[in-house]
Amino acid sequence: MLVSLGQRQESNRDRLAINGPYVERADWPGNRLDEALSKTWGSIAPYLYSGSYRWRLGRFVRRVEDCGHQFATVPDEQLHEAADGLRNRLMSATSGHGELALAFALAREATQRHTGMRHFPVQLLGGAAMMSGAIAEMQTGEGKSLTAVLPAVAAALMGQSVHVVTVNDYLARRDVELLRPVYEALGLTVGLIQQGQPQLERKHAYACDVTYCTNKELAFDYLRDRLALGPRRASARLLMDDLFEAAFAGQSHRLVLRGLQFAIIDEADSVLIDEARTPLILSGVPNESGNKAQLYETALRLARQLVAGEDFHLAASEKTIRLTEHGERTLSGLTSGLGELWDIRRAREELVRQALSAIHLFGRDKQYIVSEGKIQIVDEYTGRVMPDRSWEHGLHQLIEAKESCVVTEPSTTLARTTYQRLFRRYLHLCGMTGTAVETSGEMYGVYGVHVVPIPTNRPVRRTDLGFRVFPTSDLKWKSVVESALEATRKGRAVLIGTRSVDASEHVGRMLSAAGVEPAILNARQDRREAEIVANAGQPGRVTVATNMAGRGTDILLHRDVKAAGGLHVVLTEYHESRRIDRQLFGRTGRQGDPGSHEAIVALDDELFQRFANPHLLQLIRKTLFRKERVPAALGRALRIYSQSAAERLHAHARRSAVAAEDRFNKLLGFAGRD
């Protein structure tokens, strides 16, 4: 590789595991001290060695540019032949930087010929960072999808099975349609994994040199393969299964993946950090037959009779509910005579706790929407619907009953893992994102990958207009509408970011009442995402979107909009992660375009209500008197405190997810199951 893959990865090469046909890295048995030291080192490394590291990568980039001259005038057939000849050299144990530079130069030339776009030097730098086993932090709009072609081509020519992991089906399909001619020009095959794809198509897609897929589809394909393997992991046994499939009907492994060799993760912070809080569970057939709708309706009825503060305590910051002793006695009295499950103390209390969560912690048009009579979970980070996903432990069924939907049967767990376990099993892990420096410690401590900040191709002309904190949401929304109207009167385009479907539709109605008809992009319109984003840069256009809707797609500005000052972004509620706020602001001022952004928030926003110190909120309200805005210093302190508390809680949740899987695996091992 170009440079060391990182101390953590180097120290674990002896833990390479081959499970039957799978080539993957064995998980390392970390400990608290090792993780803490690694996180500390990972946090300071991007700043400590950024100069020397970039110098080494820059030297490689200059070599790529020198190699590119020899391919500038050759016909397409010779480009293909050059790639074939380079493949043998790259697969040799003696290959070095010279061969890698040639691979990058070939990929750059093929990209220019078949897409009309040529990699900038900073994109070559990002590709080199990924080849070294790092996360390249590239600002929004710097062409990360195009950058990923460089390491993908190089690794595929080395004979590696390359997985380019994106956050949704649309982005995966878009990239394959755009870049397929580039790969085919170099003699490489490209596969695409989409939701609902038949197993045989998936197997063919993973058999290609480069496969584009989403993180969730990849994870569940891996779990299904592990389930299919069962105890039959030895290569000889698997071969016998293939030879005598008829004799072993129903027992053939039928794997779709070829192992975990080379992963390039787009939006790496979202996949490796944000979504790593929740374990990935492959569910099977229902636990029991029969309709349990009556049971869930009874649980909801009982939960509504309990009094907050007296019968139960709600910890909003942790999204947990605890029954008090008084509540336990009250519940015992309410369930007297109901019989069956209600006579079992632990069972009734757990079921009612889940019912209280469904009522108080999960809201319609926030955590989920109701579409065609079904509950569909909304991803809090992307604002997109997650079809075919459900909450566990009966929570999903309770929400179905709450919304008067058809109550589905709960399912049983067949296999489970976490993103931490999955992605650190890859022999080579790298990625790219617009915001990663804040998580550099965790990236290295958990995954063994460094974060490398990549400079922008053109100087950034984005203007920060600061933030305003209002005491109530009514004042906040009024200010948001005024800001949008002021920008559109100048001929600019406006993007308003919200955290929920409900909030996006609320501000949309206010804008309509003010004479501006906005385009709304949330979980209800996710199928029109490309169309809405494509028109978001037109003069006078106002687009209202959940904070991350449209991530990965460019808002192309009309020339009149550029002349008027560019895209204006308004954040209406701080997210629990500072990175996601920065990602929204990064929608403007791309590739040297002009633009501006501001934050307009309120004290009754969810972030402050869940995580702010009540005494701090009380102090702020006392200092307001009759003012309509919170003083800037207090507002800044409130944001820093709340987001820091939220990030600590989420980090704890990620550690807990891994610990829970460890306990689960130990139980399976004790029971004699894999």
Side-chain angles (χ1 to χ4, degrees), residues 562-628:
K562 291 183 181 181
L567 178 69
H568 179 56
V569 171
V570 183
L571 178 147
T572 63
E573 187 174 351
Y574 285 121
H575 201 276
E576 293 165 10
S577 170
R578 291 167 292 175
R579 289 177 296 103
I580 297 182
D581 295 339
R582 199 151 65 90
Q583 287 156 5
L584 179 64
F585 292 149
R587 306 298 299 165
T588 184
R590 300 156 73 107
Q591 281 293 331
D593 286 341
S596 60
H597 62 81
E598 65 179 329
I600 304 175
V601 299
L603 290 180
D604 49 9
D605 287 347
E606 183 182 356
L607 173 72
F608 301 143
Q609 292 299 311
R610 285 184 59 193
F611 296 101
N613 187 309
H615 300 296
L616 179 59
L617 283 177
Q618 186 178 7
L619 174 64
I620 291 174
R621 289 193 173 97
K622 284 182 178 179
T623 59
L624 283 177
F625 298 107
R626 295 185 179 179
K627 297 178 182 178
E628 289 192 350

Side-chain angles (χ1 to χ4, degrees), residues 433-450:
T433 183
T435 49
V437 168
E438 295 94 333
T439 63
S440 58
E442 189 167 352
M443 287 287 192
Y444 186 70
V446 175
Y447 300 100
V449 292
H450 282 297

Side-chain angles (χ1 to χ4, degrees), residues 4 22 49 99 214 228 269 284 323 326 383 425 432 497 532 548 559-560 568 625 643 669:
S4 170
Y22 264 68
Y49 289 121
E99 286 76 14
T214 65
D269 61 323
L323 289 174
H326 184 275
R425 284 183 175 274
M432 51 197 175
I532 293 173
M548 294 310 299
R559 61 184 179 183
D560 293 342
H568 179 56
F625 298 107
Q643 289 185 323

